[in-house]
Amino acid sequence: MNKIILAKYGELALKGNNKRQFEDKLMSNIRGKLKDLGEYSLSRAQSTIYVEPKSDTFDIDEASERIRKVFGMSAVSVASKVDKLPETKDTLDEIGKIAVECVRKMMLRHKTFKVETRREDKHFPLKSPQISAEIGGYILENIPELTVDVHNPDITVNVEIRGSAYVYTERFAGAGGMPTGTNGKATLLLSGGIDSPVAGYMIAKRGVVVNAVHFYSYPYTSERAKDKVIALAKIMSEYCGRINLYVVPFTDIQLAINKHCPQELLTLIMRRIMMRIAEQIARNTYSHALITGESIGQVASQTMESLVVTDNAVSLPVFRPVIGMDKEEIVQVAKKIGTFETSILPYEDCCTVFVPKHPKTKPQLESLHKAEANLTDIEEMIAKAVEDAEIIKVGE
Ligand code: ATP
Ligand code: MG
């Protein structure tokens, strides 16, 4: 039996020329995901991308799972392909046979079904409801213990009449969003925590290419903390394709802040310098914006006043997609996208190495400027940190 993947994309947000660009990107992003899976062909028609295996070794279920995660996909199914025959009745019989096989595979758990037909090929002599009735009748004849339930069926047999006919019973939701590469580029400040991978995912979902910057303070943070961040970037890349991860040595700067600045401002000064380094990397890599995982009021460095002074350190726009989300809501997304289990591994982050006992929650910009004036060679330190960043290409 010929198996094929039907990968559907939503069209709602698309207009004119955008649609073409959207489709081309989507196809090339899918190609990127399937590179190592063997031979296949890729084509598209009527808001559906067809992935057809061309060798026996092509793992179609793995391919389907990967495609589901591609941004821009709305639904993905593995279908059986039926070539149309000269006599409509013979075509319907073929579809019926395959539908019976599909239903039999699911029978142990299910007792009711319905057939849903989409007829894209308007030359096909029967209309959708007639096709559904024919195939439904065929299934009932062959599996008499089943009954039809059009409102709440256990099994939905989907029949699509296009260039060929396609039959499938399982339809998986896709990741949604816009294809990566259709909406510019942004640089994510990626810690090992729960929030920043979710923030990166949310922006990437809108078609934005994401770079990531991670600050580490060896030996205060371990090699394993760095591996954890690479693992997080890898999970994100399953959705948004390759991520260039810039790992920035931050120990000297942290020690300097600790030595020369007032305790209560340590975290905020560190955050502002992180933003400045990330901004440099963003500009060097043609990013249009920064992304962080901050959420109002979550910690002292994320009060409204703290966010304002953090923002003030840079001139690129800062996107904070989880700004209004509760921790529990962020955790839910982290679980859905698969980063949660990695995020909760207990390794130190450089933010937690030097934590002031009484951090300022209503900082004044002037007092930060004054404190930062003690860091006389900070410009050179920032430039050096940018230069010394290790670039790790993650995914694909
Ligand atoms: P997360 O869950 O992402 O770690 P958090 O709740 O721990 O966030 P903070 O540690 O205050 O919050 O960090 C706020 C944001 O600053 C993070 O979401 C991330 O964008 C950035 N950030 C913090 N630490 C680092 C780091 N070591 N490297 C890169 N970015 C960082
Ligand atoms: Mg953190």
Side-chain angles (χ1 to χ4, degrees):
M1 192 193 301
N2 284 336
K3 290 280 187 188
I4 187 167
I5 296 174
L6 305 184
K8 314 239 168 140
Y9 43 97
E11 271 184 301
L12 287 176
L14 302 177
K15 324 170 204 79
N17 285 342
N18 281 349
K19 183 171 175 197
R20 184 67 192 275
Q21 191 207 4
F22 181 104
E23 290 171 327
D24 288 347
K25 274 281 185 229
L26 201 46
M27 305 258 295
S28 82
N29 293 349
I30 289 176
R31 272 192 208 100
K33 296 279 185 229
L34 304 184
K35 264 194 291 215
D36 58 332
L37 287 186
E39 274 180 66
Y40 64 93
S41 73
L42 203 61
S43 57
R44 71 170 182 246
Q46 290 144 338
S47 298
T48 301
I49 291 173
Y50 301 82
V51 182
E52 194 161 11
K54 291 290 173 202
S55 77
D56 293 341
T57 53
F58 186 85
D59 184 345
I60 196 163
D61 293 322
E62 171 68 20
S64 149
E65 253 178 59
R66 289 190 196 177
I67 294 171
R68 263 178 250 165
K69 289 184 175 174
V70 171
F71 287 134
M73 293 314 332
S74 63
V76 180
S77 303
V78 175
S80 300
K81 180 179 171 187
V82 181
D83 288 326
K84 284 184 207 147
L85 297 164
E87 295 293 328
T88 304
K89 164 135 195 5
D90 295 341
T91 307
L92 290 174
D93 277 354
E94 274 305 303
I95 296 173
K97 259 187 238 163
I98 288 173
V100 165
E101 262 177 63
C102 289
V103 172
R104 280 226 165 91
K105 275 192 201 140
M106 305 180 80
M107 274 288 284
L108 287 178
R109 287 175 287 130
H110 305 285
K111 297 213 159 45
T112 63
F113 80 103
K114 79 166 173 180
V115 179
E116 235 176 60
T117 304
R118 279 184 61 180
R119 188 183 61 138
E120 296 284 354
D121 170 11
K122 300 299 177 206
H123 298 299
F124 196 78
L126 271 65
K127 295 207 164 121
S128 297
Q130 294 171 302
I131 300 169
S132 293
E134 287 286 329
I135 304 302
Y138 194 103
I139 294 173
L140 284 173
E141 248 171 54
N142 285 275
I143 317 179
E145 55 274 39
L146 277 181
T147 52
V148 172
D149 180 348
V150 288
H151 300 297
N152 211 354
D154 297 320
I155 307 172
T156 302
V157 178
N158 295 276
V159 176
E160 298 192 10
I161 310 289
R162 297 163 174 259
S164 297
Y166 301 93
V167 184
Y168 57 91
T169 44
E170 278 187 301
R171 183 185 167 94
F172 297 97
M178 312 269 287
T180 305
T182 53
N183 262 325
K185 192 173 188 181
T187 294
L188 166 69
L189 284 85
L190 179 62
S191 71
I194 296 168
D195 309 329
S196 47
V198 169
Y201 168 90
M202 287 172 75
I203 297 297
K205 186 174 178 200
R206 299 305 302 160
V208 177
V209 173
V210 170
N211 264 348
V213 178
H214 176 67
F215 299 92
Y216 80 108
S217 294
Y218 189 80
Y220 300 96
T221 61
S222 68
E223 196 63 23
R224 285 197 298 180
K226 181 171 141 188
D227 291 343
K228 170 180 166 178
V229 171
I230 297 172
L232 286 171
K234 180 99 180 55
I235 299 169
M236 289 175 61
S237 77
E238 288 170 23
Y239 300 88
C240 63
R242 189 163 85 197
I243 293 178
N244 287 341
L245 171 65
Y246 291 75
V247 181
V248 177
F250 204 53
T251 318
D252 291 347
I253 291 179
Q254 273 198 301
L255 291 174
I257 300 172
N258 201 36
K259 187 164 167 200
H260 299 293
C261 302
Q263 277 290 314
E264 56 180 19
L265 295 178
L266 287 189
T267 310
L268 280 172
I269 295 173
M270 183 190 74
R271 307 268 319 120
R272 281 164 53 87
I273 295 175
M274 280 185 174
M275 297 294 273
R276 289 175 62 188
I277 294 172
E279 182 179 47
Q280 272 301 318
I281 293 174
R283 290 193 190 281
N284 294 348
T285 54
Y286 308 102
S287 277
H288 303 92
L290 299 175
I291 309 166
T292 76
E294 290 160 313
S295 152
I296 295 177
Q298 199 187 72
V299 286
S301 60
Q302 295 173 30
T303 62
M304 182 64 79
E305 292 82 354
S306 298
L307 289 169
V308 169
V309 297
T310 307
D311 234 32
N312 196 274
V314 290
S315 56
L316 278 182
V318 182
F319 296 154
R320 298 180 169 94
V322 303
I323 193 77
M325 287 165 77
D326 295 344
K327 194 74 184 188
E328 196 42 49
E329 293 170 317
I330 302 173
V331 164
Q332 268 173 27
V333 182
K335 286 186 174 163
K336 188 186 90 184
I337 66 178
T339 50
F340 182 74
E341 294 301 325
T342 306
S343 287
I344 58 174
L345 294 174
Y347 306 131
E348 291 287 326
D349 180 67
C350 69
C351 281
T352 53
V353 176
F354 303 104
V355 189
K357 281 213 183 64
H358 304 289
K360 260 256 182 290
T361 53
K362 292 189 192 302
Q364 300 283 325
L365 197 53
E366 299 83 72
S367 42
L368 282 157
H369 284 154
K370 204 168 144 218
E372 286 168 0
N374 295 334
L375 302 168
T376 45
D377 51 358
I378 192 64
E379 298 302 329
E380 293 76 14
M381 290 181 100
I382 289 177
K384 182 163 170 22
V386 171
E387 204 177 297
D388 290 349
E390 179 193 357
I391 307 173
I392 303 175
K393 296 183 189 311
V394 183
E396 289 186 24

